[in-house]
């Protein structure tokens, strides 16, 4: 019998547009494997919200494989060691996988050497083909976007293979429940089931439905009280759907420009990791290493208030409570909440990045890092530090009243005119906190801190 191939799955938990699976099935028997490797990422081991999603995604993927007379093998530990041992155990001749750009996965791919055949499938186009004139990855999005557009549309997605040949003997597999990916006591995920259905089937259905709404995306995406975004981000992060499958699901993309830029931004952040692998830890602009972040006991209390949605700024608090309850936050509010932590509270962006990493079901290393450094002004392509978002005016501008009522029930009875700033209106309920700091005072403190770098 033909030697089997191992299909190494990571953040590509799908059968549709899965080039590594197609290549492996073309060669012969396939052993699909997911390795839960908490050591390779180190401090970037996947967070609690992602683990909840991963449990359900792995379960649905195994069911889809079994419908094709295959199955998913689960192993836990060092991915390189486990895959090497599985090759010996199964007699596999090769490992097929989709290319990843997180530094720990690039290191693992390098260690596997010529035993591993990599395929491109988690981005619109192959990132190594998008470089500057000097052959280096782009660090500016505008230039990246211009170069990417010249290579669109992306290749057509691969269909699901008609058959996935099985090996003569299946290796042993862990039981998914043994991994305890789901929270136990306390179970903070009780709201997740209401908002999310992980898995490839749901991802493909969402993409199809989104094609009917994408034309209104540019108008509605900044309105947190409306359902104006695709909510595809966690499906994309876990690889339950590919970006090019989404692109082609949109059909005529002339009205999808704003949304396509968001897909492109996701690819861009992976490209930044090619140039700067430690971007999640190190300022893109070294001069900000000397910024005097607040680190005292009061700053720690302010950080905790921000995490709990108790800052006294309703739009910020609504976002942070939505994040905790659902594992997701509206994109406009993500920016407002992040800016508030960095500029109003003068707390290191990395503190917020780590909180999002643990709480977001779509927490992506590259996207999370680039977005935080953009807001903080510390990145290679970033907003200026002195540009400070005003959360109170942003709340009114983007009509967030109903959004606040949903997530901050203490303010539910306030009018549209007073709910954005109940302190200033003199109607703040006793059970809602006063502002941690006034906007003008916070702005002056942030600008004074930035002035020390000149």
């Amino acid at each position: 019998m033909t030697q089997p191939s191992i299909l190494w799955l990571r953040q590509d938990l799908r059968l549709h547009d899965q080039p590594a699976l197609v290549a492996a099935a073309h060669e012969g028997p396939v052993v699909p494997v997911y390795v839960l490797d908490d050591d390779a990422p180190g401090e970037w081991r996947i967070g609690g919200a992602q683990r909840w999603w991963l449990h359900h995604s792995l379960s649905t993927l195994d069911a889809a494989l079994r419908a094709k007379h295959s199955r998913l093998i689960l192993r836990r530990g060092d991915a390189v060691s486990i895959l090497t041992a599985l090759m010996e155990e199964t007699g596999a001749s090769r490992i097929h996988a989709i290319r990843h750009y997180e530094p720990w996965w690039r290191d693992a791919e390098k260690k596997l050497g010529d035993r591993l055949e990599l395929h491109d499938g988690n981005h619109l186009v192959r990132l190594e083909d998008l470089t500057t004139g000097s052959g280096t990855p782009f660090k500016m999005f505008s230039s990246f976007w211009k170069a990417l557009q010249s290579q669109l549309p992306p290749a057509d997605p691969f269909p699901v293979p008609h058959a996935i040949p099985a090996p003569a003997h299946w290796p042993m597999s862990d039981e998914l429940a043994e991994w305890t990916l789901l929270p136990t006591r306390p179970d903070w995920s009780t709201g997740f089931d209401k908002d999310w259905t992980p898995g490839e089937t749901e991802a493909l259905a969402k993409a199809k439905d989104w094609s009917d709404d994408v034309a209104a995306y540019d108008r509605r995406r900044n309105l947190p009280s409306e359902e104006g975004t695709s909510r595809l981000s966690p499906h994309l992060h876990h690889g339950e759907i590919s970006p090019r499958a989404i692109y082609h699901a949109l059909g005529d993309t002339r009205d999808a420009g704003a949304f396509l830029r968001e897909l492109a931004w996701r690819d861009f952040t992976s490209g930044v990791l090619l140039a700067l692998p430690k971007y999640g830890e190190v300022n893109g602009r070294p001069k900000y290493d000397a910024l005097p972040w607040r680190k005292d006991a009061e700053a720690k209390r302010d950080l905790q208030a921000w995490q709990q949605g108790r800052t006294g700024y309703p739009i910020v608090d609504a976002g942070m409570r939505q994040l905790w309850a659902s594992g997701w936050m509206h994109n406009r509010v993500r920016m407002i909440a992040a800016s508030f932590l960095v500029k109003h509270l003068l707390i290191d962006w990395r503190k917020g990045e780590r909180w999002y990493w643990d709480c977001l079901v779509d927490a992506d290393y590259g996207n999370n890092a680039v977005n935080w450094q953009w807001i903080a002004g510390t990145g290679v392509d970033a907003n200026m530090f002195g540009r400070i978002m005003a959360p109170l005016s942003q709340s009114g501008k983007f009509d967030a009243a109903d959004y606040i009522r949903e997530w901050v029930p203490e303010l539910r009875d306030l009018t549209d005119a007073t709910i954005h700033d109940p302190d200033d209106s003199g109607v703040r309920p006793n059970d809602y906190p006063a502002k941690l700091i006034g906007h003008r005072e916070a702005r002056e403190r942030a600008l004074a801190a930035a002035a020390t770098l000149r």
Side-chain angles (χ1 to χ4, degrees), residues 173-219:
S173 173
D174 292 351
E175 292 293 332
L176 182 58
E178 295 173 354
W179 287 2
T180 59
L181 295 171
L182 300 177
T184 51
R185 298 178 183 175
D187 184 358
W188 39 259
S189 69
T190 52
F192 285 28
D193 287 328
K194 183 181 81 169
D195 281 356
W196 304 110
T197 303
E200 180 177 9
T201 300
E202 177 71 7
L204 292 170
K206 270 188 182 175
K208 185 176 183 297
D209 291 343
W210 179 239
S211 65
D212 297 328
D213 300 323
V214 69
Y217 175 71
D218 197 30
R219 177 178 58 83

Side-chain angles (χ1 to χ4, degrees), residues 5 19-30 96 161-165:
S5 297
L21 169 61
V22 172
H26 179 73
E27 290 182 351
V30 182
H96 288 276
H162 292 298
I164 303 175

Side-chain angles (χ1 to χ4, degrees), residues 312-315 390-397 420-422 424 435 439:
Y313 284 76
I315 185 66
L392 301 175
S393 60
Q394 289 265 315
S395 183
K397 177 181 178 180
H420 305 292
D421 189 1
D424 185 62
K435 294 187 183 80
H439 174 64

Side-chain angles (χ1 to χ4, degrees), residues 112-133:
L112 287 167
D114 58 10
R115 293 169 291 183
L116 175 66
E117 183 171 332
L118 289 169
H119 307 266
D120 295 287
N122 272 8
H123 298 84
L124 288 168
V125 300
R126 177 180 165 83
L127 293 184
E128 286 81 355
D129 294 337
L130 284 176
T131 57
T132 65

